[in-house]
């Protein structure tokens, strides 16, 4: 039973379209994250939610909108997709605090044509 | 500003060698330091987590150490195997659940 699962695994779409990625965790964690991994494999935090409340919102275009219906789910919606949005998007979760171990999903590879 | 650096970016060793991967961080006020492994096209798998009050953690052939005063962590891999080939990333956890990642070391263990 996958701990952090995200769907879809692959997205190929045209510029200007809107797309969503869904994430669910069954670990009982109170914090969930979205990370972006670029072509150079660098991981950058985009958003973090703690108990459904947004706590981290890095410098991300407002075309990206996260939504957390409950603490086990964190979805990412992207409007008006651009070429530069092509990347792998990872969902992750953890408990808050010193012992917070981060667990990742398998990633969603987005290709914008 | 918190920054995490990993050197070298790539490392190639013959099978059986012991090796050390390095991770340095600029702000010593970390909550914990975590090492991950990433295989091509896959997500990150947690290997070891060292809390700020700890000095090291061990799992099988892996040993991770943490020296907050010098801003360094090392991942020691004993008797490396071709199956260890992957990218290894470290991440430092700071306040407000902020994890900062290094850019990774790509390890190739040659048979």
């Amino acid at each position: 039973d996958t701990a952090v699962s995200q769907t879809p695994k692959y997205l190929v779409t045209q510029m200007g379209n809107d797309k969503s990625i869904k994430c669910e965790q069954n670990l009982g964690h109170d914090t969930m994250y979205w990370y972006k991994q670029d072509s150079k494999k660098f991981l950058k935090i985009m958003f973090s939610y703690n108990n459904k409340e947004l706590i981290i919102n890095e410098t991300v275009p407002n075309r990206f909108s996260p939504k957390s219906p409950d603490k086990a789910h964190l979805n990412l919606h992207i409007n008006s997709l651009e070429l530069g949005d092509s990347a792998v998007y990872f969902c992750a979760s953890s408990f808050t605090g010193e012992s917070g171990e981060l667990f990742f999903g398998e990633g969603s590879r987005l290709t914008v044509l | 500003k918190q920054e995490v650096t990993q050197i070298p970016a790539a490392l190639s060793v013959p099978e059986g060698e012991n090796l050390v991967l390095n991770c340095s961080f600029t702000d010593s006020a970390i909550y914990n330091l975590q090492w991950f492994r990433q295989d091509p096209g896959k997500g990150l798998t947690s290997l070891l987590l060292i809390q700020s009050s700890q000095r090291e953690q061990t799992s099988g052939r892996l040993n991770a150490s943490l020296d907050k005063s010098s801003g360094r962590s090392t991942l020691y891999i004993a008797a490396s195997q071709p199956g260890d080939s992957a990218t290894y990333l470290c991440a430092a956890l700071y306040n407000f659940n902020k994890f900062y990642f290094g850019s990774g070391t790509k390890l190739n263990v040659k048979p």
Side-chain angles (χ1 to χ4, degrees):
Chain A
D1 196 17
T2 306
V4 182
S5 58
Q6 51 182 112
T7 56
K9 190 167 182 177
Y10 298 98
L11 282 129
V12 181
T13 189
Q14 300 287 330
M15 265 185 5
N17 284 350
D18 303 338
K19 287 293 177 186
S20 292
I21 309 171
K22 295 186 175 182
C23 179
E24 175 182 4
Q25 55 95 5
N26 62 7
L27 297 167
H29 288 161
D30 58 2
T31 306
M32 295 186 72
Y33 312 80
W34 278 110
Y35 282 86
K36 180 180 180 180
Q37 189 172 46
D38 59 25
S39 56
K40 295 185 178 178
K41 306 300 183 188
F42 188 71
L43 267 168
K44 188 171 180 185
I45 182 73
M46 299 174 68
F47 302 103
S48 170
Y49 272 74
N50 178 260
N51 287 319
K52 303 195 310 177
E53 183 180 341
L54 180 66
I55 57 169
I56 296 175
N57 183 354
E58 294 294 293
T59 309
V60 177
N62 58 14
R63 297 181 294 102
F64 290 78
S65 51
K67 279 191 172 51
S68 182
D70 56 62
K71 72 174 193 175
H73 295 83
L74 180 62
N75 304 322
L76 182 65
H77 187 75
I78 316 170
N79 290 325
S80 305
L81 279 157
E82 301 178 356
L83 293 176
D85 297 333
S86 295
V88 181
Y89 293 84
F90 285 101
C91 177
S93 69
S94 75
F95 285 116
T96 303
E98 188 181 43
S99 59
E101 186 175 3
L102 199 55
F103 289 83
F104 278 83
E106 287 283 294
S108 297
R109 179 175 294 275
L110 172 65
T111 303
V112 182
L113 304 174
Chain B
K1 181 186 174 186
Q2 290 97 352
E3 289 185 4
V4 178
T5 306
Q6 291 184 250
I7 295 173
L11 183 62
S12 185
V13 300
E15 181 177 5
E17 254 195 31
N18 302 326
L19 59 101
V20 174
L21 306 180
N22 296 297
C23 173
S24 59
F25 44 94
T26 54
D27 184 348
S28 62
I30 63 171
Y31 281 21
N32 68 40
L33 193 292
Q34 199 170 346
W35 283 92
F36 296 87
R37 169 185 173 137
Q38 186 176 26
D39 292 288
K42 298 288 188 183
L44 280 72
T45 301
S46 178
L47 296 173
L48 289 164
L49 180 148
I50 312 174
Q51 296 183 20
S52 64
S53 56
Q54 298 172 329
R55 295 299 301 265
E56 65 177 343
Q57 284 288 335
T58 298
S59 175
R61 294 182 293 109
L62 306 180
N63 175 278
S65 68
L66 176 63
D67 184 343
K68 285 177 56 179
S69 61
S70 66
R72 292 184 60 190
S73 176
T74 61
L75 179 66
Y76 175 83
I77 303 178
S80 58
Q81 302 170 359
D84 295 331
S85 298
T87 297
Y88 291 81
L89 296 102
C90 66
L93 172 62
Y94 292 95
N95 201 6
F96 302 112
N97 290 334
K98 283 201 169 188
F99 287 89
Y100 287 84
F101 280 82
S103 52
T105 295
K106 187 173 182 180
L107 174 65
N108 178 34
V109 181
K110 298 172 287 186

